[in-house]
């Protein structure tokens, strides 16, 4: 019985430790993100580089990009196509975040809660400016060496789910052609 | 009124006996809705209606909304929004009864009473005394009763919906005790519609040009928001990508 209690307390303290680690990471990166949003004094290309660094450092780009097209498309595509797709998608993700950040001035991102389900951390935060506030959820994985974002949910709208619907539609319309999807993404 | 009743009954019966909602197993959620292939048999018509809606929005509704947002100070905007939201509390209360949520039903009625007496509904006093607003409608009542969402539809001027939710809206329009007590209820409906358009103005601006296919994007966002109202652990249950080593 005592052993069970010890094991139980070890598990509890381990998960608390992980939650505090992810909270610490989140506080640091969200502050950095706010700094990027609020310091737009550089040239457009300089600002873009800052977002590029932030996205490459914090997003699980390969997992998101692969997840959006599904395994069957990955299997039927060539290595060159996949590599080009990853590059184009990365650029698209950076531009999306760049545009969203440019259309709003955020004064704070406050961490509300951290939950864990199936090894995925669900970080609940609140983003607000002078006028309004919104719930912002981040789904994050621990890769061992760092934490990486796999989805961002603003209020109830998931980036991953929304983009998956759009990409699937393009793929279906073009009989699963990854090349066609790449062209469509480049057009945006 | 009898004619209206027939229309309502027809819509409900169609909604109950329609063919299965989704046919993809790729990304199923708890509510059974696949985000990948939402049942959309009249897509060409829907796309045409969406284009029509954006056209009307561009030439008529958007300018009104932008002017209103420019002129009206924030407290006025908030007050108007609260006023229309308060008018819906009695019908929310009725919906909660059908859902078996009696506490929430009383809460809605209490909120309506407090907010109407104190400020004609323009200030949400009830929230400040701990009576939080709970959103619901007849579409959600039907969903909780096991009615599947049916085909996705875009209603002219109104916007995205599905057969179940639109049926719920029609029923609400005719049974809403507050709207029915207004002599010119059409004006209330128009005012409410414009207020809802004001509330989504920022989001709509972001949707414009943010996607290669705004139709797909709006459809996905609509279903995600409806599911969020239906599922307890919506955020936790959202599909996530398979993890690859970066």
């Amino acid at each position: 019985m005592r052993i069970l209690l010890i094991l139980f307390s070890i598990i509890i303290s381990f998960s608390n430790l992980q939650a505090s680690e992810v909270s610490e990471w989140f506080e640091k990166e969200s502050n950095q993100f706010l700094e990027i949003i609020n310091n737009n004094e550089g040239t457009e290309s300089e600002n873009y580089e800052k977002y590029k660094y932030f996205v490459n450092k914090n997003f699980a780009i390969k997992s998101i990009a692969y997840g959006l097209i599904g395994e069957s498309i990955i299997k039927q595509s060539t290595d060159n196509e996949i590599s080009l797709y990853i590059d184009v998608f990365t650029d698209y993700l950076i531009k999306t975040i760049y545009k969203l950040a440019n259309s709003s001035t955020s004064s704070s991102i406050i961490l509300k809660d951290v939950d864990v389900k199936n090894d995925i951390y669900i970080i609940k935060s609140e983003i607000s400016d002078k006028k309004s506030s919104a719930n912002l959820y981040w789904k994050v994985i621990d890769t061992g060496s760092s934490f990486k974002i796999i989805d961002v949910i603003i209020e109830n709208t998931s980036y991953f789910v929304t983009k998956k619907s759009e990409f699937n539609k393009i793929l279906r319309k073009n009989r699963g052609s990854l090349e066609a999807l790449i062209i469509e993404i480049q057009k945006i | 009124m009898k004619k209206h009743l027939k229309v309502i009954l027809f819509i409900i019966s169609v909604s109950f006996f329609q063919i299965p909602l989704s046919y993809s197993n790729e990304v199923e959620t708890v509510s059974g809705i696949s985000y990948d292939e939402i049942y959309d048999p009249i897509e060409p018509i829907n796309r045409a209606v969406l284009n029509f809606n954006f056209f009307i929005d561009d030439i008529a509704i958007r300018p009104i909304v932008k002017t209103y947002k420019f002129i009206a100070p924030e407290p006025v905007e908030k007050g108007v929004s609260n006023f229309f939201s308060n008018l819906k509390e009695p019908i929310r209360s009725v919906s909660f009864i059908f859902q078996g949520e009696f506490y929430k039903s009383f809460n809605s009625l209490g909120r309506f009473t407090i907010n109407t007496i104190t400020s004609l509904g323009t200030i949400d006093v009830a929230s400040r005394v701990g009576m939080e607003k709970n959103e619901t409608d007849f579409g959600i009542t039907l969903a909780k009763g096991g009615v599947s969402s049916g085909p996705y539809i875009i209603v002219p001027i109104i916007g995205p919906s599905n057969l179940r939710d639109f049926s719920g809206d029609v029923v609400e329009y005719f049974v809403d005790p507050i709207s029915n007590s207004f002599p010119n209820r059409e004006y209330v409906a128009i005012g409410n519609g414009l207020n809802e358009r004001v509330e989504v103005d920022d989001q709509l601006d972001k949707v414009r040009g943010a996607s290669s296919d705004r139709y797909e994007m709006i459809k996905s966002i609509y279903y995600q928001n409806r599911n969020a109202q239906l599922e307890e652990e919506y955020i936790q249950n959202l599909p996530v990508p398979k993890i690859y080593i970066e």
Side-chain angles (χ1 to χ4, degrees), chain A residues 3 19 36 43 51 54 61 64 92 107 116 133 142-143 147 161 172 188:
Chain A
I3 294 168
I36 301 171
T43 62
Y51 284 98
F54 178 82
I61 295 170
I64 301 170
Y92 173 66
S107 53
V116 191
S133 65
D142 185 357
T143 61
F147 292 104
V161 172
R172 274 203 305 273
I188 305 166

Side-chain angles (χ1 to χ4, degrees), chain B:
Chain B
M1 187 65 198
K2 260 187 178 176
K3 196 179 165 193
H4 290 148
L5 201 65
K6 276 182 187 170
V7 173
I8 295 165
L9 286 172
F10 172 73
I11 293 170
I12 292 173
S13 60
V14 170
S15 193
F16 268 102
F17 299 112
Q18 47 85 31
I19 43 181
L21 164 71
S22 57
Y23 47 92
S24 164
N25 291 321
E26 198 177 348
V27 191
E28 286 287 334
T29 63
V30 170
S31 60
I33 288 172
S34 160
Y35 290 105
D36 280 2
E37 291 192 26
I38 291 159
Y39 184 51
D40 188 5
I42 54 162
E43 187 182 325
I45 298 168
N46 280 338
R47 279 185 184 271
V49 177
L50 182 72
N51 288 337
F52 169 75
N53 284 358
F54 266 106
F55 172 71
I56 295 294
D57 192 71
D58 283 339
I59 60 160
I61 301 168
R62 195 163 180 243
I64 295 171
V65 169
K66 292 289 177 197
T67 311
Y68 168 72
K69 283 184 82 175
F70 181 72
I71 294 169
E74 247 180 83
V76 172
E77 212 179 292
K78 185 78 189 155
V80 171
S81 172
N82 284 341
F83 172 77
F84 283 109
S85 176
N86 189 54
L87 290 183
K88 287 185 197 158
E89 289 291 7
I91 193 72
R92 280 190 200 116
S93 177
V94 175
S95 289
F96 278 130
I97 288 174
F98 281 116
Q99 291 167 29
E101 302 257 22
F102 299 110
Y103 174 76
K104 285 182 179 173
S105 175
F106 283 122
N107 184 63
S108 288
L109 267 189
R111 282 177 51 79
F112 178 72
T113 311
I114 292 170
N115 288 340
T116 307
I117 289 171
T118 53
S119 64
L120 276 177
T122 55
I123 301 168
D124 190 1
V125 180
S127 281
R128 293 177 195 174
V129 293
M131 295 172 81
E132 292 297 327
K133 184 166 106 178
N134 297 302
E135 287 286 356
T136 197
D137 54 52
F138 264 56
I140 290 174
T141 306
L142 290 171
K144 288 189 174 173
V147 179
S148 59
S149 65
Y152 176 66
I153 49 173
I154 301 217
V155 186
I157 312 289
I158 293 170
S161 190
N162 56 51
L163 189 58
R164 179 194 63 209
D165 294 343
F166 184 60
S167 310
D169 290 342
V170 173
V171 173
E172 265 187 21
Y173 183 80
F174 289 108
V175 302
D176 187 347
I178 297 300
S179 293
N180 274 317
S181 59
F182 280 93
N184 292 312
R185 58 178 310 184
E186 292 81 6
Y187 295 128
V188 180
I190 291 168
N192 183 44
L194 277 173
N195 176 58
E196 283 179 4
R197 173 62 184 78
V198 170
E199 286 173 356
V200 298
D201 188 51
D202 289 341
Q203 288 96 310
L204 260 183
D205 281 349
K206 279 176 183 146
V207 166
R208 287 165 197 266
S211 166
S212 61
D213 190 345
R214 68 181 176 189
Y215 175 82
E216 260 331 290
M217 189 181 194
I218 290 170
K219 184 163 77 175
S220 177
I221 292 172
Y222 175 75
Y223 273 91
Q224 287 180 61
N225 278 289
R226 288 305 279 177
N227 280 358
Q229 290 175 301
L230 285 168
E231 286 180 32
E232 285 285 320
E233 294 194 315
Y234 164 76
I235 299 287
Q236 286 86 340
N237 291 329
L238 274 169
V240 285
K242 192 178 163 185
I243 308 305
Y244 289 88
I245 298 160
E246 298 288 323

